Amino acid sequence: KVCKREEGRQVQFQEQTVEDLVALVQSRDTDTALSAATELDKVCKREDGRNAVLSVPDCCQLIASLLVRGDAACAQRGCKILASLSLDARGRALITGVPSAVHSLSSLLQSGQTPSVQYATLLIGNLAMDREGRACILSSPPLFDSLSSLVFSTDVKTLRHTSGALRNISSDSTGRRRVEGDAACVRQLQSL
């Protein structure tokens, strides 16, 4: 159970289960969804917390709804939670099982919101560690194009996550051909 009380806020969580928090991220009320996501983010910092979240049916699909609700803070928090969940193979498989969630990362990469871009590139790099994740990423040309354009970022963390993601994508022949097909990206990676 997760216990939280915020005075002066519309939303108060007391004795909320992880299942409740996952369900609340789909609330129509943005404050409720964001508060639930903030609590889930804290839960996901621990391995047992991540396991608890991953045991909730459709957790990744529900959390991914934060990415497309039109609120930058919700999208950032949702991406951060998914990045935490992608730390182990089970989480990566569940996230990859929701291709629309992975493909929606393209708009986050183009958002210009530095923290969101950092979490999205980290998430993509983690997903690209597995063959299924690489295939899911490569099945969305806009996502790959958005990612490869970030090799020109001036943000160090974004650049580090982007180069790691592209390295992971290049770990098999299909991904390597796709990366090598972007000459400007390759030149920039070689100059780093």
Side-chain angles (χ1 to χ4, degrees), residues 40-175:
L40 277 175
D41 179 36
K42 292 174 187 174
V43 168
C44 287
K45 291 182 192 281
R46 301 180 326 272
E47 184 177 355
D48 62 327
R50 289 190 298 274
N51 288 333
V53 172
L54 290 171
S55 69
V56 175
D58 300 322
C59 65
C60 292
Q61 184 172 351
L62 296 171
I63 294 166
S65 71
L66 292 165
L67 303 178
V68 294
R69 70 182 290 140
D71 181 85
C74 284
Q76 177 183 329
R77 189 66 66 181
C79 196
K80 186 176 180 187
I81 294 166
L82 290 173
S84 293
L85 295 176
S86 71
L87 291 174
D88 66 30
R90 179 179 172 210
R92 290 190 297 274
L94 288 173
I95 295 166
T96 302
V98 186
S100 60
V102 178
H103 297 166
S104 70
L105 294 172
S106 178
S107 61
L108 279 179
L109 293 177
Q110 297 171 10
S111 72
Q113 305 267 332
T114 300
S116 293
V117 172
Q118 291 171 347
Y119 293 128
T121 53
L122 176 62
L123 173 56
I124 292 167
N126 288 349
L127 294 177
M129 292 191 303
D130 300 325
R131 184 175 43 89
E132 295 80 10
R134 289 189 294 275
C136 187
I137 293 162
L138 291 171
S139 73
S140 173
L143 176 59
F144 180 82
D145 293 343
S146 296
L147 177 67
S148 64
S149 71
L150 290 173
V151 298
F152 300 99
S153 174
T154 57
D155 178 67
V156 173
K157 193 179 272 189
T158 298
L159 192 55
R160 184 173 60 233
H161 292 168
T162 300
S163 61
L166 291 169
R167 184 175 42 257
N168 289 348
I169 290 169
S170 298
S171 66
D172 64 30
S173 60
T174 303

